[in-house]
Amino acid sequence: MLDLRPLTDVSRLLLTVPLRPVQGDRFQPTGFPSLGAATYQTKDGLELLVESAQSMANRLEAACWDFAKNTPVDALGGISHVTVTRKGAFLTDSMLEAHRINSPYLLEGKDRGFFDNLKKELGGLEEGPIDRKKLAEVLLKYDVGSLIHGVFLAKKDLAGGRLRVARALSSFIDASGVNVAASGGVKNDHVNPSGDTKSGFGNVPFARDEYVAERIDCHFNLDLAQIRGYGLGEKVERLLIVLALYKMRKLLDGDLRLRTACDLEPIDRTRLVATRPAGYELPALNELETAVKSSIAECKGVMVHTTVTFEDELKKAKDAKKAADAGQSAGGEDDETADEDN
């Protein structure tokens, strides 16, 4: 059995993993509308956000999803999640949705079964302090990832839109000692070089900013105190911790190709040692696969796989502003959002 005793008396697991580009020195960081690359000044010089906490939450979930089968990877068979189908075919899943079970494909469709069950099981939380244990039990039943990556049930019909859980596992990638690697190119039209560029014709020159860095680090923060605070018992507590460790290792052992021009890898993935608790080493993937399978089996009675249908018309937003406003109203500081530039 995987030994978790080194984590017993600590409130956080903090791990920093040095990364490098798979080839060359240049990489493309995440970008934000009207901002571009997120550079910032510190006492040690110019630093750069390579990948945000929101995007890393998405990537940690994606590392656990089999896109060929549209199911969780084999090691996670039996975990709770909600699948959405349309016209008899797979549409999406709570593990893929930016807001997990707060997704409109789960809560806004004509199929009200899941929403009604959720409302019923969360009954009694409309007034007074939130019963955190009750909320955690419902989230565990339907979408265990919500207890790791956080969720914000923003609908007023669900306890007045007050139900939220912060991320227990957060991550981001930053770079220090950075400099711009400026380049550019041109989209060539060999048929009509002077054609109307607004319609996609003609030669179109463009500038491109990539970066080089003295150091690139992937940071993980697992809030063990929050997981214990759910009050779900020793078996579920172990499941959540092992599942979080599995996600970290699965991501690091896989491809960190964040964008076309941002393909990274750990400098040394054989020995990943935490700064807190000092000396704790992230177990190997095969150890974690065995441990997570065992924990899922022990907790199978409190988790379900739910299927929801979404047969509504897929309407387009009338204009970009309304779409942006909808995204802001659905968001929150504790909920996961989609990658900013993917």
Side-chain angles (χ1 to χ4, degrees), residues 115-129:
F115 177 84
D116 291 341
N117 284 339
L118 201 59
K119 183 177 180 179
K120 179 180 178 181
E121 296 188 36
L122 292 172
L125 302 182
E126 294 84 1
E127 297 180 352

Side-chain angles (χ1 to χ4, degrees), residues 12-281:
R12 297 283 190 282
L13 169 66
L14 303 180
L15 177 68
T16 297
V17 180
L19 305 176
R20 64 186 173 197
V22 172
Q23 293 178 305
D25 299 304
R26 293 174 291 125
F27 60 92
Q28 176 192 5
T30 189
F32 299 83
S34 305
L35 176 64
T39 57
Y40 54 99
Q41 192 71 35
T42 72
K43 62 181 178 62
D44 298 317
L46 189 66
E47 299 208 9
L48 170 71
L49 177 64
V50 179
E51 203 72 1
S52 70
Q54 299 96 315
S55 178
M56 287 300 289
N58 293 335
R59 296 186 187 281
L60 285 160
E61 285 276 58
C64 297
W65 186 259
D66 187 329
F67 286 91
K69 298 179 181 178
N70 284 325
T71 62
V73 294
D74 290 343
L76 300 187
I79 64 168
S80 55
H81 62 108
V82 186
T83 299
V84 184
T85 62
R86 179 177 174 80
K87 298 179 180 179
F90 175 86
L91 179 66
T92 187
D93 192 276
S94 59
M95 289 180 63
L96 304 178
E97 284 297 290
H99 300 279
R100 283 171 303 279
I101 62 171
N102 194 50
S103 163
Y105 299 108
L106 277 67
L107 303 183
E108 298 289 349
K110 296 175 182 177
D111 181 352
R112 305 299 290 174
F114 177 71
F115 177 84
D116 291 341
N117 284 339
L118 201 59
K119 183 177 180 179
K120 179 180 178 181
E121 296 188 36
L122 292 172
L125 302 182
E126 294 84 1
E127 297 180 352
I130 300 297
D131 185 338
R132 301 283 292 179
K133 182 179 180 181
K134 183 175 182 178
L135 173 60
E137 288 173 342
V138 175
L139 294 176
L140 170 66
K141 177 179 178 179
Y142 290 112
D143 185 62
V144 65
S146 294
L147 295 175
I148 293 177
H149 298 295
V151 71
F152 177 25
L153 297 174
K155 290 187 69 63
K156 292 182 178 180
D157 289 344
L158 298 176
R162 301 185 302 143
L163 303 179
R164 66 170 67 199
V165 174
R167 292 188 184 94
L169 174 61
S170 57
S171 176
F172 63 94
I173 301 176
D174 63 10
S176 56
V178 299
N179 284 291
V180 173
S183 62
V186 61
K187 189 279 291 182
N188 284 312
D189 182 344
H190 70 277
V191 175
N192 185 13
S194 59
D196 181 7
T197 57
K198 291 183 180 180
S199 300
F201 301 99
N203 289 351
V204 181
F206 61 88
R208 179 184 182 90
D209 281 351
E210 295 175 310
Y211 283 79
V212 295
E214 295 177 5
R215 183 181 178 97
I216 307 172
D217 289 311
C218 181
H219 303 276
F220 294 97
N221 183 332
L222 178 59
D223 192 334
L224 299 165
Q226 177 174 320
I227 289 176
R228 298 185 190 111
Y230 294 144
L232 296 175
E234 184 178 333
K235 290 182 180 179
V236 174
E237 181 181 309
R238 180 179 176 84
L239 168 63
L240 294 174
I241 294 173
V242 171
L243 181 55
L245 297 178
Y246 175 82
K247 287 172 177 282
M248 294 160 60
R249 174 56 88 167
K250 190 77 164 55
L251 180 69
L252 293 170
D253 278 13
D255 292 325
L256 275 172
R257 194 180 188 213
L258 309 179
R259 279 162 291 281
T260 300
C262 190
D263 199 354
L264 307 173
E265 65 180 358
I267 291 176
D268 180 9
R269 57 164 56 99
T270 59
R271 189 168 184 268
L272 304 176
V273 182
T275 55
R276 186 190 304 178
Y280 178 77
E281 190 169 340

